[in-house]
Amino acid sequence: MSEINVQLEGGRSAQVAAGATVAEVLKAADRDAAKQALAAKVNGREVDLTFRLDESAANGETLRVEPVLPGTLEGLDVIRHSTAHLLAAALLDLFPGTKLGVGPALLEDPRYGFFYDVIAPRQLTDEDLPAVEKRMKELAKRNLSYRREEISKEEALRVFQEREEPLKCELIADKGGERVSVYYIDGSPFIDFCLGPHVPNTNKLKAFKLLSLSGAYWMGDAERPQMQRVYGTAFATQEELDAWVKQREEAERRDHRRLGKELDLFSIQEQYGQGLIFWHPKGGAIRREMEDYLRAELDRRGYGLVFTPHIARRELWHTSGHEENYADSMFAPTEIEGQEFRLKPMNCPFHIGIYKSAQRSYRDLPIRLAELGTCYRAELSGTLHGLLRVRGFTQDDAHIFCTPEQIRTEVIDCVDFAYDVLRTFGFEKFKVELSVKGSDTSKGYLGSEEQWVNAETALADALGERGIPFERIEGEAAFYGPKIDVKVEDAIGRHWQLTTVQFDFNLPERFELEYIGEDNRAHRPLMVHRALFGSVERFFGVLIEHYAGAFPLWLAPVQVAVLPITDRANEYVEQVARSLREAGLRVETNTRGDKIGAKIRNAQLQKIPFMLVCGDREMEEGQVAVRERSRGDIGAMSLEEFREMALRLVRTRALVNE
Ligand SMILES: [Zn+2]
Ligand SMILES: [Zn+2]
């Protein structure tokens, strides 16, 4: 038999007999790594450990062989993908007659690690999941092999027809080449049409968990009968799985949709339309604080606050380019007197309208127009998610029109503004990305090379000036300009994209924006879009999860609960509440017949920052016994004393009540 040259990790080369499996090759090189290997890569292509190296593949050349190890993204992919197969095997075992759809690994989704779409002989419920998981564990322990076979397409179709797997047959007919690879889990009823690779046997799968069920359609086609999607996740080790489960529970505890309901902050009402947010009085109180703060800052920083319509003639969207590039995300046109109108998906063209309403001179610039502008986008229902992905939302939008000489200062001001805002709301850790053009010319970038260099330099300089570390991402810029994105890290270490500062070479051209320069000639102004919250809805959702609903005093919808110990104190309680309300605090009283313990518990559940407990003694001495949400009893003080403390915390937008 002839020999094949292989190159192993660390650059070592060796000769192996043709027909050797990659497992054997890896074993000869490094026993430990081979033991751990989940799959392998031959010249960068992922293969099973049972893959045989043959001469024709080598063609006289050296083959590079490396293990795919746990603890790498590729390793995780193999584990999750193989576990999805194990799930299908368990389902077939427990529910014979189950028809299999597809079952991919998910690596980007924070909520799930894989799923399998199936049509079971009966509707599966959450109660079935423990039994399925148990069967998966039994199969895993039996150490069954994943076996690959390459057969002709006809043969594959025959095999899957025999097993009554119509969906797999559809897939093979559609996607299969002349020869197709199928995988068995030997000793289980499972067979799949799949490219692999998989783990060599089921006892490599040690840490997995089934999570939930949802509906799904074959190939996303709602005309077809509904399937069931079983979600799960898997990791290389039990420790990783446990840590992930804990994080997930924490995320669930903080889920803004749940807290939104429990704390009566907002709702989404199916009968009015998905993706549309109803702000209840308590959510409204928070929004008002957010907006009031923002407006005051806009005034202070020289922005003009504008209000613009929600719809505009369709021609406008042709001029802006939205009709060409963005029509799918816009609600369909509506007609009046032969003219078509469309709801706005963005505010930019409207602010341009204000800019263009008069001739501008260099003396007028910079012009900074800001709006809490409500936009509408026709997002598909499947992509909607609470406050984070909606169909109607309000951007804290602004557009800056300026001269090239002004751009540097303007961008620095935007960055300062963003950091002030994000810090005020309690975020301390940031990840900043600068998306630049890169060398790929296929993206159809607008604007001259010089414009790009200037814009990218202005953005990088602004970050540099403020000593803000950032990651430069080549080729990620929009076709119309580079941008800065600011992601915040929340209380449990998740990152949320909020602020964007985006250059635009496109709209000033399309709308032929001009200003008269010092030279008395017309020039194109530079244009920057920027949103700090991103959208008010999304920012609110992130805030709810960051604080787990326990907002700092200045944002809390109810800041103080005044609680009588007995009915005798009711009148005093109302008097205390009135005086605090007059000072501008948001106050609730609870004069129901409950015991004081229940009243405190209730206020605690509503995450009200301060509870003032009032009994006979407090009444007599004109005092209040103060409880703070997280610190408990902090002692009695006079009403004036408490009021001054609370007002100071509100005024300074303190993040903790001390
Ligand atoms: Zn597979
Ligand atoms: Zn814009």
Side-chain angles (χ1 to χ4, degrees):
M1 226 199 270
S2 57
E3 305 260 282
I4 295 172
N5 292 321
V6 296
Q7 192 189 24
L8 299 155
E9 231 155 351
R12 276 191 307 133
S13 45
Q15 289 206 317
V16 300
T21 65
V22 291
E24 287 161 356
V25 173
L26 292 172
K27 206 158 142 195
D30 180 342
R31 258 183 181 287
D32 284 343
K35 236 185 191 163
Q36 282 199 46
L38 301 164
K41 283 195 285 184
V42 175
N43 280 357
R45 184 167 75 94
E46 290 193 38
V47 296
D48 294 319
L49 290 170
T50 51
F51 180 79
R52 288 182 188 282
L53 301 176
D54 66 24
E55 290 163 83
S56 59
N59 204 11
E61 303 206 356
T62 301
L63 293 176
R64 210 171 62 248
V65 180
E66 340 158 51
V68 170
L69 295 169
T72 64
L73 204 60
E74 287 156 337
L76 190 65
D77 192 16
V78 172
I79 287 173
R80 290 186 173 174
H81 178 100
S82 304
T83 311
H85 283 350
L86 187 66
L87 162 61
L91 286 169
L92 286 172
D93 225 4
L94 288 172
F95 307 99
T98 294
K99 309 282 171 249
L100 300 178
V102 292
L106 306 170
L107 295 178
E108 303 285 322
D109 193 315
R111 293 162 301 161
Y112 311 109
F114 62 83
F115 66 78
Y116 221 110
D117 286 350
V118 300
I119 302 174
R122 68 159 170 83
Q123 182 84 5
L124 300 173
T125 69
D126 286 336
E127 282 72 56
D128 293 319
L129 295 183
V132 178
E133 195 177 298
K134 187 159 163 259
R135 182 59 55 95
M136 288 168 72
K137 286 191 174 132
E138 287 161 9
L139 291 172
K141 274 208 195 104
R142 280 167 53 201
N143 200 14
L144 310 173
S145 306
Y146 285 77
R147 183 166 54 84
R148 178 188 176 100
E149 251 183 31
E150 278 174 39
I151 52 179
S152 71
K153 188 172 185 173
E154 292 75 55
E155 172 75 358
L157 284 169
R158 196 185 53 74
V159 170
F160 281 93
Q161 250 150 32
E162 224 163 65
R163 289 177 181 248
E164 296 177 34
E165 290 284 11
L167 301 171
K168 290 288 181 196
C169 288
E170 250 184 72
L171 267 190
I172 295 167
D174 191 31
K175 300 225 158 87
E178 218 160 281
R179 294 190 65 77
V180 301
S181 55
V182 298
Y183 276 88
Y184 295 84
I185 297 180
D186 281 335
S188 92
F190 178 73
I191 174 172
D192 205 351
F193 161 58
C194 179
L195 290 172
H198 303 95
V199 293
N201 41 53
T202 54
N203 78 348
K204 289 268 184 199
L205 307 176
K206 293 182 162 68
F208 51 81
K209 185 178 172 58
L210 293 185
L211 299 167
S212 60
L213 285 164
S214 78
Y217 289 105
W218 179 244
M219 300 294 157
D221 181 356
E223 306 284 301
R224 304 280 299 252
Q226 209 182 23
M227 309 182 70
Q228 280 190 288
R229 176 166 295 180
V230 186
Y231 281 109
T233 196
F235 288 89
T237 64
Q238 188 64 37
E239 292 74 53
E240 285 171 272
L241 176 61
D242 290 345
W244 182 86
V245 168
K246 213 174 139 214
Q247 162 95 359
R248 187 174 190 262
E249 281 165 5
E250 189 53 39
E252 252 161 45
R253 193 175 74 78
R254 291 166 178 268
D255 189 316
H256 70 279
R257 294 165 299 178
R258 216 187 83 190
L259 287 170
K261 192 177 247 173
E262 280 173 18
L263 304 177
D264 195 16
L265 301 173
F266 74 94
S267 62
I268 297 167
Q269 321 235 4
E270 286 276 333
Q271 65 272 35
Y272 289 83
Q274 290 178 318
L276 304 173
I277 307 301
F278 289 74
W279 295 73
H280 295 200
K282 286 181 180 168
I286 298 174
R287 177 169 178 160
R288 223 173 56 215
E289 290 292 351
M290 291 164 63
E291 293 189 352
D292 287 353
Y293 161 75
L294 195 75
R295 284 195 193 97
E297 287 296 314
L298 289 167
D299 285 342
R300 208 163 72 73
R301 294 167 195 261
Y303 284 78
L305 196 60
V306 302
F307 299 85
T308 63
H310 289 207
I311 60 172
R313 286 178 59 185
R314 194 170 185 179
E315 282 72 13
L316 177 77
W317 305 112
H318 280 298
T319 310
S320 68
H322 286 87
E323 284 284 346
E324 290 160 49
N325 302 313
Y326 207 73
D328 286 349
S329 299
M330 293 171 73
F331 281 92
T334 176
E335 205 190 286
I336 181 165
E337 293 174 345
Q339 278 186 352
E340 284 186 304
F341 288 79
R342 283 191 101 154
L343 271 169
K344 68 173 170 186
M346 295 182 194
N347 304 300
C348 337
F350 293 80
H351 294 185
I352 286 174
I354 293 175
Y355 182 92
K356 284 194 75 161
S357 66
Q359 194 180 63
R360 307 293 179 181
S361 118
Y362 70 96
R363 286 179 220 276
D364 303 324
L365 301 185
I367 292 177
R368 309 184 193 94
L369 300 178
E371 177 172 16
L372 286 153
T374 303
C375 300
Y376 298 90
R377 293 187 191 165
E379 305 280 1
L380 295 176
S381 59
T383 67
L384 299 172
H385 181 74
L387 292 167
L388 301 180
R389 189 87 183 252
V390 294
R391 284 178 174 157
F393 57 95
T394 301
Q395 284 182 323
D396 66 316
D397 209 357
H399 295 92
I400 298 164
F401 305 90
C402 67
T403 68
E405 296 72 45
Q406 293 165 334
I407 192 65
R408 191 185 143 83
T409 322
E410 288 306 311
V411 175
I412 291 177
D413 287 352
C414 281
V415 169
D416 285 347
F417 196 172
Y419 270 65
D420 281 356
V421 167
L422 299 174
R423 288 206 174 102
T424 298
F425 284 89
F427 299 104
E428 285 153 16
K429 291 191 194 153
F430 309 98
K431 241 165 74 176
V432 179
E433 292 173 355
L434 173 63
S435 297
V436 297
K437 180 156 84 93
S439 49
D440 180 8
T441 48
S442 68
K443 233 177 164 178
Y445 291 110
L446 297 174
S448 69
E449 194 56 34
E450 194 197 343
Q451 280 179 313
W452 276 88
V453 169
N454 288 342
E456 291 177 1
T457 308
L459 293 175
D461 280 359
L463 295 171
E465 182 99 355
R466 290 298 180 254
I468 294 168
F470 63 90
E471 193 187 341
R472 194 182 170 95
I473 306 183
E474 303 284 332
E476 270 305 297
F479 71 93
Y480 52 85
K483 63 170 175 171
I484 294 172
D485 286 319
V486 184
K487 292 181 176 150
V488 300
E489 186 178 317
D490 75 3
I492 57 169
R494 296 173 299 177
H495 288 95
W496 306 88
Q497 161 67 50
L498 299 171
T499 300
T500 301
V501 180
Q502 166 82 62
F503 251 87
D504 194 331
F505 303 132
N506 181 34
L507 293 181
E509 286 293 330
R510 282 182 167 271
F511 284 92
E512 299 172 340
L513 299 187
E514 284 180 352
Y515 68 92
I516 304 301
E518 233 169 320
D519 57 3
N520 249 329
R521 298 231 292 267
H523 298 268
R524 266 288 171 268
L526 294 179
M527 178 175 178
V528 173
H529 313 246
R530 72 111 193 92
L532 307 178
F533 292 152
S535 85
V536 177
E537 284 74 10
R538 185 177 156 77
F539 194 78
F540 183 39
V542 173
L543 278 185
I544 296 172
E545 301 212 356
H546 178 58
Y547 287 113
F551 296 100
L553 188 67
W554 73 282
L555 285 171
V558 179
Q559 295 167 317
V560 186
V562 196
L563 311 172
I565 296 175
T566 63
D567 287 353
R568 287 195 302 282
N570 282 0
E571 203 177 308
Y572 178 63
V573 155
E574 293 301 347
Q575 208 181 306
V576 167
R578 209 174 313 126
S579 115
L580 294 175
R581 273 189 205 115
E582 272 165 20
L585 293 164
R586 293 185 286 271
V587 187
E588 222 172 62
T589 60
N590 181 350
T591 52
R592 284 193 301 267
D594 305 336
K595 291 232 165 58
I596 185 66
K599 289 178 189 171
I600 290 173
R601 210 160 33 249
N602 185 47
Q604 197 79 37
L605 283 175
Q606 287 297 305
K607 305 182 194 253
I608 298 172
F610 285 109
M611 289 150 258
L612 306 183
V613 179
C614 303
D616 294 338
R617 201 173 70 206
E618 284 76 19
M619 240 157 68
E620 275 159 33
E621 295 171 8
Q623 289 199 322
V624 288
V626 184
R627 283 184 69 87
E628 197 273 339
R629 178 176 58 195
S630 54
R631 286 189 293 152
D633 194 352
I634 57 169
M637 49 183 95
S638 74
L639 179 57
E640 289 67 39
E641 226 179 312
F642 173 77
R643 189 178 56 213
E644 288 319 305
M645 176 185 71
L647 290 176
R648 173 178 56 79
L649 292 169
V650 168
R651 197 172 52 242
T652 57
R653 298 195 177 87
L655 296 173
V656 286
N657 297 322
E658 297 205 37

